[in-house]
Amino acid sequence: DPSMKECFTDPAYNRATFMGCLMMVFQQLSGINILMFYSSQIFINMDRNGAVGTAILNSANLVSAFSGSLMLGLFGRKTLLIFWSFWMALLMIGFGFAYNVSTKCQEE
């Protein structure tokens, strides 16, 4: 096993270490953590039940985690990363659109 120093200095591990760090940065910047953390307040702002909205969101997260682990053996990490990152981006845009429409309807 390589040491921590070797992961950053050895050319055999540089690319893998850089890609791993880059993936963690993109995961943090994706916005899913904010959605999970503030889900009840977001649903309350949309004039919905915050507890029910959070339960639905967490249930969807649980189902996707189990299905992702099952699909990992079939398709591999790279395919799943690309495919689900694309869908997550589309769904986050859709959720943002729904939030904007819902809050604008409340203002009128």
Side-chain angles (χ1 to χ4, degrees):
D1 290 337
S3 68
M4 185 67 79
K5 182 181 176 187
E6 288 175 327
C7 288
F8 290 99
T9 57
D10 191 346
Y13 303 112
N14 275 348
R15 185 168 184 219
T17 302
F18 178 73
M19 292 303 290
C21 291
L22 196 62
M23 285 174 45
M24 287 188 283
V25 166
F26 282 133
Q27 190 271 333
Q28 290 297 315
L29 295 176
S30 71
I32 193 68
N33 291 338
I34 288 184
L35 182 65
M36 298 300 284
F37 188 75
Y38 292 108
S39 61
S40 61
Q41 187 61 41
I42 290 170
F43 283 106
I44 289 170
N45 288 346
M46 293 173 64
D47 208 20
R48 304 285 187 254
N49 188 333
V52 172
T54 301
I56 291 170
L57 192 64
N58 287 334
S59 298
N61 192 22
L62 181 68
V63 168
S64 63
F66 278 124
S67 62
S69 64
L70 294 174
M71 289 189 292
L72 184 63
L74 297 173
F75 302 110
R77 284 182 233 157
K78 187 175 181 179
T79 305
L80 286 181
L81 178 68
I82 293 169
F83 179 77
W84 289 116
S85 293
F86 171 76
W87 279 105
M88 185 178 69
L90 286 179
L91 292 172
M92 292 292 282
I93 289 169
F95 189 81
F97 180 73
Y99 180 79
N100 282 336
V101 167
S102 176
T103 55
K104 287 194 192 289
C105 289
Q106 290 175 8
E107 291 173 2
E108 294 175 357

